Amino acid sequence: MLINVPETVVADALRGMAAAHPELAVDVENRVIVRRDAPVAGKVGLVSGGGSGHEPLHGGFVGPGMLSAACPGEVFTSPVPDQMVRAAAAVDSGAGVLFVVKNYTGDVLNFDMAAELAEDEDIRIAKVLVNDDVAVTDSLYTAGRRGTGATLFVEKIAGAAAEEGQPLEQVEAIARQVNENARSFGVALSACTTPAKGSPTFDLPAGELELGIGIHGEPGRERRAMMTSGEIADFAVHALLEDMSPRNPVLVLVNGMGGTPLLELYGFNAEVQRVLAERGVAVARTLVGNYVTSLDMAGASVTLCQIDEELLRLWDAPVKTPGLRWGM
């Protein structure tokens, strides 16, 4: 691994992020990343966070048109409430703060506690839980469905609404609408390796893959012998469309888990688009790349989000973050 020692991986990454992105205020000691112009007068603040190892989620999505602040925890470990309260205070302009929370038990408990503490400091808080993964209902780390790729859609679209000055109640409603209309399914071709462990986090024999993997390496639906890109796309898209029946066009995210090159991801996207066309699903926009990762895991996930004209307008709105930018 390209690291010093496991104990300083997150701090080292934050120092490097601060050097690369002076438009962000990166507090390495307290583990909070804030857009430097925060708080923005009259603007709802958006705060998210989670364990490190999923970059660019969440710190890479801080900036105009997306998150106001992010709280990185240790690798695959939830940030603590103090981080979240500090982030909320840094971005609150008096218009309130929306917490975007992936459905993992530690994240949910700590954000709930942070919301109570922030409200004690007279910061108005709303929360949205992202739970888009159709692979399994309950698993390691999670009660209910896991929060995965739809987090990007929620943060981008709600972030655009906040950037326009929409009130907290409306930004929250938009975030909930996006989550309710989004579904994800992931596939692992290899296990990931955490810095502390130094070896694969689970055993996936050569020539096999895990269908429905979680972003921490949690088990999915089943293991099979290696499949072609087209066969994986058939399986993943079928699993998504079993759980949703889109009447409107969809946003498509073909997301790499961290260890799969773009050459393969674009080829996989071609197969995903083929299956959607065969099923009569119209595609409005497509994003391909590594956005919600799992360290060095080889594999990919597919996220679909049914949208209307207003959500598409917000998706297309300008954004300028380290991990996502257009229109500026």
Side-chain angles (χ1 to χ4, degrees):
M1 291 184 177
L2 189 64
I3 65 172
N4 292 316
V5 294
E7 292 77 12
T8 66
V9 164
V10 175
D12 291 345
L14 291 175
R15 289 191 296 107
M17 188 175 200
H21 297 286
E23 71 276 15
L24 302 178
V26 181
D27 185 338
V28 177
E29 181 180 355
N30 292 299
R31 306 288 176 89
V32 178
I33 303 163
V34 182
R35 52 184 282 184
R36 195 169 288 281
D37 61 351
V40 178
K43 177 187 174 301
V44 169
L46 256 71
V47 174
S48 193
S52 296
H54 305 303
E55 290 74 17
L57 190 81
H58 294 274
F61 296 147
V62 174
M66 215 161 174
L67 292 178
S68 307
C71 307
E74 292 297 327
V75 173
F76 291 178
T77 302
S78 173
V80 297
D82 284 351
Q83 289 173 262
M84 301 159 187
V85 175
R86 189 180 297 270
V91 305
D92 180 39
S93 68
V97 175
L98 177 67
F99 283 166
V100 179
V101 188
K102 300 190 306 303
N103 189 31
Y104 295 95
T105 301
D107 290 8
V108 172
L109 292 174
N110 286 353
F111 270 104
D112 282 349
M113 188 180 302
E116 295 178 7
L117 294 171
E119 286 169 347
D120 288 342
E121 298 183 12
D122 295 323
I123 301 172
R124 195 156 50 104
I125 299 291
K127 293 175 292 184
V128 170
L129 189 68
V130 182
N131 56 352
D132 54 304
D133 184 14
V134 305
V136 293
T137 300
D138 298 304
S139 70
L140 301 174
Y141 299 92
T142 313
R145 289 183 166 180
R146 303 176 290 214
T148 58
T151 313
L152 182 150
F153 289 153
V154 171
E155 292 176 355
K156 170 61 185 77
I157 293 173
E163 202 71 39
E164 292 181 348
Q166 296 193 33
L168 180 61
E169 294 77 13
Q170 183 64 18
V171 175
E172 178 188 6
I174 288 169
R176 292 187 186 281
Q177 181 184 358
V178 173
N179 178 64
E180 289 166 3
N181 284 287
R183 304 288 188 276
S184 294
F185 190 91
V187 178
L189 309 181
S190 74
C192 58
T193 299
T194 61
K197 190 169 189 287
S199 59
T201 54
F202 61 94
D203 178 39
L204 185 58
E208 295 186 6
L209 54 76
E210 181 92 21
L211 294 165
I213 196 74
I215 57 174
H216 306 98
E218 311 98 309
R221 289 187 178 183
E222 61 179 290
R223 287 190 180 180
R224 288 191 181 182
M226 189 60 68
M227 301 157 66
T228 67
S229 178
E231 290 168 340
I232 295 171
D234 284 325
F235 191 100
V237 175
H238 177 72
L240 295 172
L241 296 182
E242 272 189 327
D243 206 85
M244 64 188 300
S245 300
R247 299 177 301 279
N248 294 344
V250 296
L251 299 175
V252 178
L253 171 63
V254 172
N255 170 70
M257 294 292 195
T260 298
L262 275 171
L263 178 71
E264 296 176 30
L265 291 177
Y266 277 121
F268 182 52
N269 179 54
E271 297 298 338
V272 169
Q273 302 288 333
R274 170 188 60 80
V275 180
L276 290 171
E278 291 172 354
R279 296 290 297 270
V281 178
V283 175
R285 302 285 187 273
T286 300
L287 187 63
V288 179
N290 288 286
Y291 294 101
V292 183
T293 63
S294 184
L295 293 169
D296 59 342
M297 182 186 289
S301 63
V302 180
T303 305
L304 305 180
C305 180
Q306 180 177 217
I307 56 165
D308 55 24
E309 289 184 3
E310 175 63 7
L311 294 185
L312 182 59
R313 184 187 69 80
L314 293 169
W315 174 256
D316 286 340
V319 60
K320 187 178 181 182
T321 72
L324 200 69
R325 59 178 63 203
W326 57 67
M328 286 189 174

